[in-house]
PDB file of all heavy atoms in Angstrom:
ATOM      1  N   GLY A 255       3.770  21.361  27.094  1.00 95.00           N
ATOM      2  CA  GLY A 255       4.909  21.944  26.812  1.00 95.00           C
ATOM      3  C   GLY A 255       6.191  21.764  27.752  1.00 95.00           C
ATOM      4  O   GLY A 255       7.234  22.423  27.597  1.00 95.00           O
ATOM      5  N   GLN A 256       6.006  20.784  28.637  1.00 96.00           N
ATOM      6  CA  GLN A 256       7.098  20.530  29.608  1.00 96.00           C
ATOM      7  C   GLN A 256       7.206  19.041  29.714  1.00 96.00           C
ATOM      8  O   GLN A 256       6.149  18.289  29.638  1.00 96.00           O
ATOM      9  CB  GLN A 256       6.919  21.058  30.912  1.00 96.00           C
ATOM     10  CG  GLN A 256       7.201  22.670  30.975  1.00 96.00           C
ATOM     11  CD  GLN A 256       7.125  23.127  32.453  1.00 96.00           C
ATOM     12  OE1 GLN A 256       6.528  22.450  33.317  1.00 96.00           O
ATOM     13  NE2 GLN A 256       7.631  24.356  32.651  1.00 96.00           N
ATOM     14  N   ILE A 257       8.394  18.513  30.128  1.00 97.00           N
ATOM     15  CA  ILE A 257       8.602  17.095  30.655  1.00 97.00           C
ATOM     16  C   ILE A 257       9.554  17.161  31.725  1.00 97.00           C
ATOM     17  O   ILE A 257      10.674  18.009  31.631  1.00 97.00           O
ATOM     18  CB  ILE A 257       8.904  16.192  29.465  1.00 97.00           C
ATOM     19  CG1 ILE A 257       8.688  14.788  29.837  1.00 97.00           C
ATOM     20  CG2 ILE A 257      10.267  16.446  29.007  1.00 97.00           C
ATOM     21  CD1 ILE A 257       7.268  14.279  29.886  1.00 97.00           C
ATOM     22  N   GLY A 258       9.664  16.135  32.712  1.00 97.00           N
ATOM     23  CA  GLY A 258      10.491  16.287  33.688  1.00 97.00           C
ATOM     24  C   GLY A 258      11.291  14.969  33.816  1.00 97.00           C
ATOM     25  O   GLY A 258      11.022  13.943  33.038  1.00 97.00           O
ATOM     26  N   PHE A 259      12.266  14.997  34.669  1.00 97.00           N
ATOM     27  CA  PHE A 259      13.160  13.945  34.932  1.00 97.00           C
ATOM     28  C   PHE A 259      13.484  13.573  36.345  1.00 97.00           C
ATOM     29  O   PHE A 259      13.681  14.607  37.176  1.00 97.00           O
ATOM     30  CB  PHE A 259      14.587  14.056  34.110  1.00 97.00           C
ATOM     31  CG  PHE A 259      14.389  14.600  32.785  1.00 97.00           C
ATOM     32  CD1 PHE A 259      14.481  16.031  32.518  1.00 97.00           C
ATOM     33  CD2 PHE A 259      13.954  13.808  31.752  1.00 97.00           C
ATOM     34  CE1 PHE A 259      14.377  16.522  31.256  1.00 97.00           C
ATOM     35  CE2 PHE A 259      13.758  14.311  30.404  1.00 97.00           C
ATOM     36  CZ  PHE A 259      13.987  15.618  30.178  1.00 97.00           C
ATOM     37  N   VAL A 260      13.456  12.354  36.777  1.00 97.00           N
ATOM     38  CA  VAL A 260      13.847  12.062  38.014  1.00 97.00           C
ATOM     39  C   VAL A 260      15.298  11.496  38.167  1.00 97.00           C
ATOM     40  O   VAL A 260      15.569  10.610  37.379  1.00 97.00           O
ATOM     41  CB  VAL A 260      12.845  10.922  38.744  1.00 97.00           C
ATOM     42  CG1 VAL A 260      13.394  10.486  40.156  1.00 97.00           C
ATOM     43  CG2 VAL A 260      11.575  11.398  38.675  1.00 97.00           C
ATOM     44  N   LEU A 261      16.172  12.250  38.823  1.00 98.00           N
ATOM     45  CA  LEU A 261      17.495  11.835  38.928  1.00 98.00           C
ATOM     46  C   LEU A 261      17.950  11.299  40.264  1.00 98.00           C
ATOM     47  O   LEU A 261      17.430  11.901  41.276  1.00 98.00           O
ATOM     48  CB  LEU A 261      18.480  13.033  38.519  1.00 98.00           C
ATOM     49  CG  LEU A 261      18.436  13.469  37.049  1.00 98.00           C
ATOM     50  CD1 LEU A 261      17.544  14.647  36.877  1.00 98.00           C
ATOM     51  CD2 LEU A 261      19.779  13.724  36.489  1.00 98.00           C
ATOM     52  N   CYS A 262      18.637  10.172  40.265  1.00 98.00           N
ATOM     53  CA  CYS A 262      18.865   9.504  41.601  1.00 98.00           C
ATOM     54  C   CYS A 262      20.433   9.120  41.532  1.00 98.00           C
ATOM     55  O   CYS A 262      20.910   8.874  40.415  1.00 98.00           O
ATOM     56  CB  CYS A 262      17.991   8.203  41.701  1.00 98.00           C
ATOM     57  SG  CYS A 262      16.329   8.381  41.503  1.00 98.00           S
ATOM     58  N   ALA A 263      21.044   9.195  42.740  1.00 98.00           N
ATOM     59  CA  ALA A 263      22.411   8.876  42.890  1.00 98.00           C
ATOM     60  C   ALA A 263      22.686   8.006  44.015  1.00 98.00           C
ATOM     61  O   ALA A 263      21.953   8.171  45.138  1.00 98.00           O
ATOM     62  CB  ALA A 263      23.196  10.204  43.146  1.00 98.00           C
ATOM     63  N   LYS A 264      23.539   7.031  43.794  1.00 98.00           N
ATOM     64  CA  LYS A 264      23.946   6.012  44.913  1.00 98.00           C
ATOM     65  C   LYS A 264      24.917   6.839  45.904  1.00 98.00           C
ATOM     66  O   LYS A 264      24.992   6.347  46.994  1.00 98.00           O
ATOM     67  CB  LYS A 264      24.573   4.763  44.417  1.00 98.00           C
ATOM     68  CG  LYS A 264      23.588   3.960  43.602  1.00 98.00           C
ATOM     69  CD  LYS A 264      24.070   2.599  43.127  1.00 98.00           C
ATOM     70  CE  LYS A 264      24.184   1.722  44.237  1.00 98.00           C
ATOM     71  NZ  LYS A 264      24.421   0.339  43.754  1.00 98.00           N
ATOM     72  N   ASP A 265      25.562   7.806  45.486  1.00 98.00           N
ATOM     73  CA  ASP A 265      26.612   8.435  46.265  1.00 98.00           C
ATOM     74  C   ASP A 265      25.958   9.763  46.963  1.00 98.00           C
ATOM     75  O   ASP A 265      25.502  10.640  46.109  1.00 98.00           O
ATOM     76  CB  ASP A 265      27.834   8.967  45.261  1.00 98.00           C
ATOM     77  CG  ASP A 265      28.948   9.596  46.149  1.00 98.00           C
ATOM     78  OD1 ASP A 265      28.685   9.925  47.375  1.00 98.00           O
ATOM     79  OD2 ASP A 265      30.005   9.682  45.622  1.00 98.00           O
ATOM     80  N   ALA A 266      25.856   9.636  48.226  1.00 98.00           N
ATOM     81  CA  ALA A 266      25.216  10.769  48.930  1.00 98.00           C
ATOM     82  C   ALA A 266      25.872  12.173  48.787  1.00 98.00           C
ATOM     83  O   ALA A 266      25.190  13.135  49.014  1.00 98.00           O
ATOM     84  CB  ALA A 266      25.202  10.329  50.497  1.00 98.00           C
ATOM     85  N   SER A 267      27.084  12.124  48.273  1.00 97.00           N
ATOM     86  CA  SER A 267      27.781  13.567  48.039  1.00 97.00           C
ATOM     87  C   SER A 267      27.477  14.075  46.725  1.00 97.00           C
ATOM     88  O   SER A 267      27.922  15.129  46.415  1.00 97.00           O
ATOM     89  CB  SER A 267      29.270  13.403  48.276  1.00 97.00           C
ATOM     90  OG  SER A 267      29.746  12.527  47.042  1.00 97.00           O
ATOM     91  N   THR A 268      26.731  13.423  45.793  1.00 98.00           N
ATOM     92  CA  THR A 268      26.459  13.827  44.518  1.00 98.00           C
ATOM     93  C   THR A 268      25.605  15.125  44.493  1.00 98.00           C
ATOM     94  O   THR A 268      24.649  15.333  45.249  1.00 98.00           O
ATOM     95  CB  THR A 268      25.590  12.664  43.739  1.00 98.00           C
ATOM     96  OG1 THR A 268      26.516  11.624  43.539  1.00 98.00           O
ATOM     97  CG2 THR A 268      25.183  13.376  42.323  1.00 98.00           C
ATOM     98  N   ASN A 269      26.001  16.122  43.848  1.00 97.00           N
ATOM     99  CA  ASN A 269      25.302  17.354  43.658  1.00 97.00           C
ATOM    100  C   ASN A 269      24.919  17.559  42.270  1.00 97.00           C
ATOM    101  O   ASN A 269      25.674  18.060  41.404  1.00 97.00           O
ATOM    102  CB  ASN A 269      26.147  18.532  44.225  1.00 97.00           C
ATOM    103  CG  ASN A 269      25.438  19.886  44.020  1.00 97.00           C
ATOM    104  OD1 ASN A 269      24.307  19.912  43.797  1.00 97.00           O
ATOM    105  ND2 ASN A 269      26.226  20.995  44.056  1.00 97.00           N
ATOM    106  N   PHE A 270      23.685  17.184  41.980  1.00 98.00           N
ATOM    107  CA  PHE A 270      23.210  17.294  40.507  1.00 98.00           C
ATOM    108  C   PHE A 270      23.017  18.614  39.920  1.00 98.00           C
ATOM    109  O   PHE A 270      23.176  18.926  38.724  1.00 98.00           O
ATOM    110  CB  PHE A 270      21.817  16.667  40.465  1.00 98.00           C
ATOM    111  CG  PHE A 270      21.761  15.177  40.476  1.00 98.00           C
ATOM    112  CD1 PHE A 270      21.013  14.374  41.277  1.00 98.00           C
ATOM    113  CD2 PHE A 270      22.391  14.479  39.432  1.00 98.00           C
ATOM    114  CE1 PHE A 270      21.057  13.077  41.357  1.00 98.00           C
ATOM    115  CE2 PHE A 270      22.429  12.977  39.477  1.00 98.00           C
ATOM    116  CZ  PHE A 270      21.709  12.258  40.335  1.00 98.00           C
ATOM    117  N   LYS A 271      22.973  19.648  40.918  1.00 97.00           N
ATOM    118  CA  LYS A 271      22.903  21.047  40.369  1.00 97.00           C
ATOM    119  C   LYS A 271      24.152  21.654  39.788  1.00 97.00           C
ATOM    120  O   LYS A 271      24.063  22.698  39.298  1.00 97.00           O
ATOM    121  CB  LYS A 271      22.228  21.819  41.552  1.00 97.00           C
ATOM    122  CG  LYS A 271      20.836  21.406  42.078  1.00 97.00           C
ATOM    123  CD  LYS A 271      20.350  22.298  43.155  1.00 97.00           C
ATOM    124  CE  LYS A 271      19.057  21.836  43.527  1.00 97.00           C
ATOM    125  NZ  LYS A 271      18.430  22.756  44.679  1.00 97.00           N
ATOM    126  N   GLU A 272      25.132  20.964  40.048  1.00 97.00           N
ATOM    127  CA  GLU A 272      26.539  21.507  39.604  1.00 97.00           C
ATOM    128  C   GLU A 272      27.346  20.477  38.832  1.00 97.00           C
ATOM    129  O   GLU A 272      27.696  19.498  39.263  1.00 97.00           O
ATOM    130  CB  GLU A 272      27.357  21.932  40.778  1.00 97.00           C
ATOM    131  CG  GLU A 272      28.639  22.667  40.486  1.00 97.00           C
ATOM    132  CD  GLU A 272      28.221  23.964  39.805  1.00 97.00           C
ATOM    133  OE1 GLU A 272      27.318  24.796  40.160  1.00 97.00           O
ATOM    134  OE2 GLU A 272      29.035  24.460  38.838  1.00 97.00           O
ATOM    135  N   PRO A 273      27.487  20.607  37.526  1.00 97.00           N
ATOM    136  CA  PRO A 273      28.183  19.789  36.676  1.00 97.00           C
ATOM    137  C   PRO A 273      29.532  19.426  37.109  1.00 97.00           C
ATOM    138  O   PRO A 273      30.286  20.377  37.405  1.00 97.00           O
ATOM    139  CB  PRO A 273      28.078  20.366  35.230  1.00 97.00           C
ATOM    140  CG  PRO A 273      27.574  21.728  35.535  1.00 97.00           C
ATOM    141  CD  PRO A 273      26.959  21.790  36.670  1.00 97.00           C
TER     142      PRO A 273
END
Side-chain angles (χ1 to χ4, degrees):
Q256 282 187 345
I257 194 73
F259 315 103
V260 177
L261 289 101
C262 311
K264 295 185 77 169
D265 185 344
S267 67
T268 300
N269 178 12
F270 281 121
K271 297 181 181 181
E272 189 64 39

